[in-house]
Amino acid sequence: MEKELVVVGIETTAHTFGVSVLRGRQVLSNEKKVFTTEEGGMIPSKVADHHVEACDKIFGLALEKAGVSVGDISLIAFSNSPGIGHSLRIGAVFARSIALLLDKPLIPVNHCIAHLEIGRLLTNAEDPVLLYASGANTQVIAFESGKYRVFGETLDIGIGNFLDSFGRALGLGFPAGPRIEELARNGKNLISLPYTVKGMDVSFGGLLTNLKSKIKSGEYSKEDLCYSVQEHVFAMLVEVTERALAHTGKKEVVLGGGVACNKRLQEMSRIMCEERDAKSFCPENQFLVDNAAMIAWTGYLKYSAGDKGLLKDTGIDPYERTDDVEILYR
Ligand code: AMP
Ligand code: MG
């Protein structure tokens, strides 16, 4: 029997520096360190410093937990798009250095597509629609006519950034998503809020302005606000996901992104799917948030389909669109 490839994945599109080791389809380790702040958001140069600081430790830890040594590595994959330029650059330099030192192929991977591929691997969904709900990204993606295509997306900010801004206005810490979920459980009254679905797209900017004035008025409890926000924005996401199912004729949904850790969003997706005879899948949290296992796995798929992994093809692309990517393995 052919020996399974040992693949190292490296994720650095935004706040997370992650390294994962796979042996074939099996995830042996999935380590990460996440840039956080006490106050305020991500300053790109600070995130880059964080990644430089973290890289060798996380790499060492991932190999140790996987029980492999550098000599066992057959292939390296890294996230080259899309994301924050500063962060991507650190990952690219680190990944190229290892590839050069070990003289192994290096495969560039699109981060958004990787969220979908890890969902397929871990849930056995075959041809799903991905609802990708993270800090900066909100997209509904599916495979159609040879490519992954974006069927719907946010017209302004990502759902996670929206929740974090709303949370900041409420005086919750960062990231606010988990706190909002907790408070929402004790909400009793559904407050009517702007609900913005335009065709297949969503938008959160107007809702955020509306909420800020509601918070200022002091008329509403935090619990009711959180509950009402979740009911509205998750319904928007699930509505456009359902429309993508109807349009493509697909029968599976896979969730991805940090916001997909939310149990109410998972429940709403499940209910929508049950009602239309489809299935909603959700990998465990460590594979929903940004992670390097998804990069390793997608790199493996590309390599298996003939990607040579040449260094000259490993430039970063902070703005790459999902449907710009050539898919040879499906
Ligand atoms: P990501 O960009 O994929 O790492 O996801 C980060 C985003 O997920 C942040 O905006 C968090 O506030 C959000 N998030 C994490 N956990 C939850 C949760 N349980 N409910 C809602 N949002 C969450
Ligand atoms: Mg992500």
Side-chain angles (χ1 to χ4, degrees):
M1 201 174 83
E2 202 185 328
K3 227 173 125 228
E4 296 270 32
L5 294 186
V6 172
V7 189
V8 167
I10 297 166
E11 157 62 31
T12 64
T13 53
H15 43 49
T16 299
F17 187 92
V19 179
S20 170
V21 181
L22 264 59
R23 189 188 298 278
R25 303 170 67 90
Q26 200 192 352
V27 180
L28 300 180
S29 68
N30 186 32
E31 297 304 309
K32 66 175 193 288
K33 188 164 179 288
V34 182
F35 174 85
T36 53
T37 58
E38 292 291 325
E39 201 177 317
M42 285 192 272
I43 299 166
S45 62
K46 293 261 160 64
V47 183
D49 290 346
H50 166 270
H51 290 357
V52 170
E53 189 71 27
C55 62
D56 56 326
K57 286 186 209 89
I58 298 300
F59 181 68
L61 200 59
L63 292 194
E64 189 187 319
K65 289 217 171 158
V68 304
S69 65
V70 282
D72 300 323
I73 298 172
S74 347
L75 179 68
I76 299 139
F78 80 108
S79 52
N80 77 315
S81 68
I84 302 169
H86 288 68
S87 303
L88 289 168
R89 215 159 282 131
I90 304 301
V93 170
F94 186 67
R96 284 184 199 143
S97 307
I98 298 172
L100 272 171
L101 272 171
L102 301 179
D103 194 22
K104 296 293 171 190
L106 178 63
I107 311 286
V109 169
N110 175 288
H111 176 96
C112 304
I113 291 175
H115 272 291
L116 191 144
E117 295 303 357
I118 196 75
R120 288 175 67 212
L121 173 71
L122 297 174
T123 67
N124 293 320
E126 266 175 39
D127 184 19
V129 169
L130 171 73
L131 171 55
Y132 176 29
S134 74
N137 295 297
T138 304
Q139 295 189 328
V140 176
I141 300 170
F143 191 73
E144 188 88 336
S145 312
K147 278 187 169 178
Y148 284 109
R149 297 181 194 273
V150 178
F151 286 88
E153 65 189 315
T154 178
L155 298 172
D156 43 37
I157 52 176
I159 172 87
N161 288 354
F162 159 78
L163 289 172
D164 293 333
S165 303
F166 164 63
R168 195 179 312 147
L170 264 190
L172 311 178
F174 172 87
R179 283 284 291 140
I180 293 170
E181 178 171 20
E182 244 176 77
L183 287 163
R185 279 198 209 105
N186 295 316
K188 292 183 183 69
N189 305 299
L190 187 68
I191 306 160
S192 175
L193 297 172
Y195 182 97
T196 317
V197 173
K198 297 179 182 174
M200 305 283 274
D201 298 322
V202 293
S203 123
F204 303 106
L207 173 57
L208 187 57
T209 308
N210 180 287
L211 285 165
K212 283 182 178 163
S213 83
K214 284 204 165 57
I215 292 169
K216 249 200 198 127
S217 78
E219 284 174 43
Y220 307 93
S221 73
K222 284 185 181 181
E223 289 79 2
D224 282 348
L225 281 168
C226 290
Y227 165 64
S228 307
V229 161
Q230 283 199 170
E231 293 305 303
H232 281 76
V233 294
F234 294 162
M236 285 159 54
L237 297 184
V238 171
E239 180 184 333
V240 293
T241 307
E242 176 166 27
R243 207 163 288 159
L245 284 178
H247 179 78
T248 58
K250 296 190 195 297
K251 288 283 176 193
E252 299 164 323
V253 171
V254 158
L255 300 180
V259 179
C261 296
N262 189 290
K263 293 279 179 283
R264 180 59 181 145
L265 175 59
Q266 293 176 11
E267 182 184 29
M268 284 167 83
S269 176
R270 206 165 50 233
I271 293 168
M272 176 275 283
C273 284
E274 276 165 17
E275 284 177 354
R276 52 178 304 120
D277 207 12
K279 250 188 124 175
S280 183
F281 296 91
C282 187
E284 61 176 282
N285 285 2
Q286 64 164 320
F287 302 110
L288 287 174
V289 299
D290 287 353
N291 65 90
M294 67 183 191
I295 305 299
W297 173 242
T298 309
Y300 175 87
L301 288 174
K302 289 183 72 174
Y303 184 73
S304 307
D307 189 320
K308 297 270 185 304
L310 304 177
L311 273 198
K312 69 172 179 59
D313 302 327
T314 59
I316 62 167
D317 186 352
Y319 301 105
E320 185 172 68
R321 292 279 304 172
T322 303
D323 52 13
D324 284 340
V325 181
E326 203 82 56
I327 304 293
L328 299 174
Y329 51 85
R330 286 191 63 166

